[in-house]
Amino acid sequence: MRTITLVLIAALCALWAGVAFPQVDPAAEQEMVRLVNAERAKAGLAPLTVDERLTRIAREHSQLQATKHAISHQFPGEPDVRHRISPTGLRFNYSGENVAFDVDPPSAHRELMNSPPHRANILRPEFNAIGIGVVHAGNEIYVTEDFARRLPELSPDDAESAIVRSFAALRRSVGLRPVPLRSQDGLRELACQMAKNGRLETDIARDIPNVSTVTAWTATEPQKLPSDLIKLKNARASGWSLGSCFAPSPRFPNPVWWNVAVMYF
């Protein structure tokens, strides 16, 4: 019995020794980034910047593909790419993903460029960041390219200042001076409360004295004003106050800016 057991162990060790376990290939990843950015340069587009957070989740997905011996954007029980990016802390508003199985980076890149949806991701003007995971399994490679439009990591002060500048520029475009900005304690907390509740609420600021209008909105880029605020560009207000909060909500785990602005008589 002992002899048979030793023979079985030896056979299993020999079998395992012949198995090619998935291995990350950083040099191949760099080559694929170069190929992607070369295509973008030919199209007159800005190059994509490598973000290590995207690289990490791309590698994890390529390893999963290699383990399952299959190509997929989402396996059972796995989040989609947007929800894989969100926990990394990357601030983004667009995302995309390419996957491939081939023998080497140039061949995988040609395969992706010959596929209209994958080519569109590589050449999408909105994207500015990328992470590529290349995993070897024997003589083949599994590839994941994760794309995102990475947003600036602003503070609440930065976000509110961006909104103020945009609204002032809008007023100047119609020949009016900027509305004086007033400090109003608690507006940021109200904005965060909207995020916690998962809905926009204008009634939350109605109790502030002398308020004439309340505008609430969400934005991934705070300098982009909502239509309700744009309509107030001609308002003869005596002042306004603003509060911004960067937070997720129950329905949307990817954080956005929740904003509330009040105008005074």
Side-chain angles (χ1 to χ4, degrees), residues 28-252:
E29 293 169 353
Q30 293 172 12
E31 174 64 6
M32 294 212 69
V33 170
R34 186 192 68 78
L35 291 169
V36 166
N37 280 334
E39 298 289 354
R40 291 179 66 87
K42 286 191 291 186
L45 299 171
L48 302 177
T49 300
V50 173
D51 189 290
E52 290 305 318
R53 293 164 291 191
L54 293 176
T55 300
R56 183 170 68 253
I57 66 166
R59 285 175 174 173
E60 291 171 354
H61 188 68
S62 287
Q63 288 172 327
L64 185 59
Q65 291 184 116
T67 299
K68 292 183 175 294
H69 306 289
I71 291 294
S72 177
H73 289 288
Q74 185 179 11
F75 292 100
E78 181 191 27
D80 62 20
V81 63
R82 182 171 67 90
H83 288 89
R84 297 201 301 271
I85 296 174
S86 293
T88 69
L90 178 70
R91 297 187 181 186
F92 70 102
N93 58 352
Y94 300 113
S95 63
E97 184 175 74
N98 289 345
V99 293
F101 171 72
D102 218 303
V103 294
D104 56 36
S107 181
H109 179 70
R110 286 194 298 271
E111 176 188 339
L112 293 171
M113 286 298 292
N114 288 331
S115 166
H118 296 97
R119 179 188 179 92
N121 276 337
I122 290 171
L123 300 180
R124 185 169 178 177
E126 292 85 358
F127 290 146
N128 59 15
I130 190 171
I132 297 181
V134 177
V135 169
H136 276 277
N139 295 323
E140 288 80 31
I141 59 173
Y142 289 85
V143 178
T144 303
E145 296 177 339
D146 284 335
F147 305 86
R149 176 174 174 79
R150 186 170 57 185
L151 301 172
E153 297 190 4
L154 305 176
S155 68
D157 283 339
D158 294 333
E160 291 166 9
S161 294
I163 295 170
V164 168
R165 288 193 299 272
S166 291
F167 192 61
L170 188 63
R171 299 259 306 173
R172 285 193 295 269
S173 71
V174 293
L176 296 174
R177 293 181 179 180
V179 177
L181 187 68
R182 297 183 188 177
S183 175
Q184 183 62 253
D185 293 338
L187 279 183
R188 284 185 186 175
E189 288 76 8
L190 292 178
C192 289
Q193 187 62 45
M194 288 194 301
K196 185 177 180 180
N197 295 341
R199 62 180 182 272
L200 297 174
E201 302 173 272
T202 56
D203 288 341
I204 59 174
R206 294 290 183 188
D207 293 337
I208 298 175
N210 299 321
V211 165
S212 59
T213 62
V214 179
T215 306
W217 74 100
T218 59
T220 55
E221 298 175 83
Q223 72 274 15
K224 295 183 178 180
L225 304 180
S227 59
D228 285 350
L229 192 57
I230 291 173
K231 292 175 183 177
L232 297 175
K233 64 180 181 294
N234 296 313
R236 299 293 178 179
S238 62
W240 73 314
S241 299
L242 179 67
S244 297
C245 177
F246 189 75
S249 63
R251 186 177 177 187
F252 300 105

